[in-house]
Amino acid sequence: HNDAFCVSLNYKMQKYVFSVQLDTSGTMTGAPPSRLDNAIAGLKDLFESAMHDDDLLGVYAFDTTVKKLTSFQSKKDIINSGGWAPIEASIRANTNMRTALYDAIHQGLNDLHDFWNFAKNSGDHYVFEQLVITDGEDTDSKTTTLENLKTKLQNPGIPHYHLLGIGVGREYSRTVLDELCGAKNAHHVDDASGLFAFLNNLSRKYSDRSKPLESTAL
């Protein structure tokens, strides 16, 4: 994968583009605070604490299918449209039993590629961060396969791109996430509280732009 934090960037001027694919299948829900509750809380913290006004966010929920809940919008525009609350409501409205994991990563990557083709002549410096949060193996993808996705990720066609996978619990194949993201960029937490702690730590790392980051690996 490309190094998301290329030293040639003026890191004080770079804008982050966050593409988040969040698993909303049945096993993510449950008695509060559930895995989904903690994922939402951690993403809210990232939005409120780590994102700058001109950073962009796209959020996808995936279970049986992939739903784009918000296109790449700046934090400032999201705040002006009601803030985090409508995004959270949309996430909670999209839950089902199965897991189209590969389709979700594939769509998120394709949309980042489309955004880059649109914005690459703007003069802005972008860093592309794709975050995938899941607690299950793929059970319902229809548009791509594991092998095709791995091939695409080897040459994503986006500069300063980074894929970070976050797996929750013990019910899924850790090997698949490791293969897709690379061992140092696939993170595994045992429970819902560990998920929030990881995302909270990640937010602090993204928020510090006083120096260039070499990696988001924690």
Side-chain angles (χ1 to χ4, degrees):
H1 305 295
N2 293 338
D3 184 356
F5 302 102
C6 179
V7 294
S8 65
L9 284 175
N10 182 340
Y11 55 87
K12 293 182 179 179
M13 298 299 291
Q14 67 192 20
K15 298 178 182 179
Y16 280 86
V17 182
F18 292 100
S19 175
V20 178
Q21 285 80 58
L22 176 57
D23 185 345
T24 57
S25 61
T27 52
M28 287 288 287
T29 60
S34 66
R35 294 169 178 176
L36 187 61
D37 292 332
N38 279 269
I40 290 171
L43 291 172
K44 180 182 179 183
D45 180 57
L46 186 149
F47 172 75
E48 293 180 344
S49 303
M51 286 184 63
H52 291 193
D53 283 350
D54 290 333
D55 290 341
L56 300 158
L57 176 66
V59 178
Y60 304 72
F62 68 93
D63 41 55
T64 304
T65 58
V66 184
K67 298 97 171 174
K68 183 190 295 186
L69 305 183
T70 175
S71 298
F72 298 118
Q73 293 179 278
S74 70
K75 178 180 180 179
K76 180 167 51 182
D77 286 344
I78 292 172
I79 290 172
N80 290 337
S81 300
W84 177 258
I87 297 176
E88 178 173 341
S90 295
I91 292 171
R92 294 189 182 280
N94 286 278
T95 58
N96 209 313
M97 294 305 296
R98 297 177 68 81
T99 309
L101 174 62
Y102 305 154
D103 283 355
I105 297 173
H106 186 255
Q107 183 172 338
L109 179 58
N110 281 346
D111 288 351
L112 280 176
H113 194 276
D114 289 345
F115 175 83
W116 167 242
N117 282 335
F118 172 77
K120 61 186 176 183
N121 295 319
S122 67
D124 291 321
H125 298 296
Y126 289 104
V127 172
F128 296 93
E129 294 289 298
Q130 185 170 6
L131 309 181
V132 181
I133 303 171
T134 186
D135 73 343
E137 298 184 42
D138 186 280
T139 58
D140 222 26
S141 284
K142 302 174 181 67
T143 63
T144 193
T145 64
L146 175 60
E147 292 306 316
N148 286 342
L149 185 57
K150 286 165 61 177
T151 299
K152 190 175 183 68
L153 287 167
Q154 288 173 1
N155 184 23
I158 307 169
H160 319 305
Y161 165 79
H162 178 237
L163 172 64
L164 181 67
I166 307 163
V168 192
R170 301 177 182 274
E171 299 89 352
Y172 67 98
S173 172
R174 296 189 174 200
T175 303
V176 169
L177 207 59
D178 290 345
E179 289 179 358
L180 289 171
C181 303
K184 75 173 184 177
N185 295 322
H187 300 273
H188 310 282
V189 295
D190 288 338
D191 54 31
S193 61
L195 174 59
F196 176 77
F198 178 87
L199 289 171
N200 184 255
N201 194 15
L202 190 64
S203 293
R204 290 197 301 272
K205 203 164 188 185
Y206 281 130
S207 66
D208 181 9
R209 302 190 197 175
S210 61
K211 58 185 182 299
L213 296 175
E214 295 179 357
S215 172
T216 52
L218 300 180

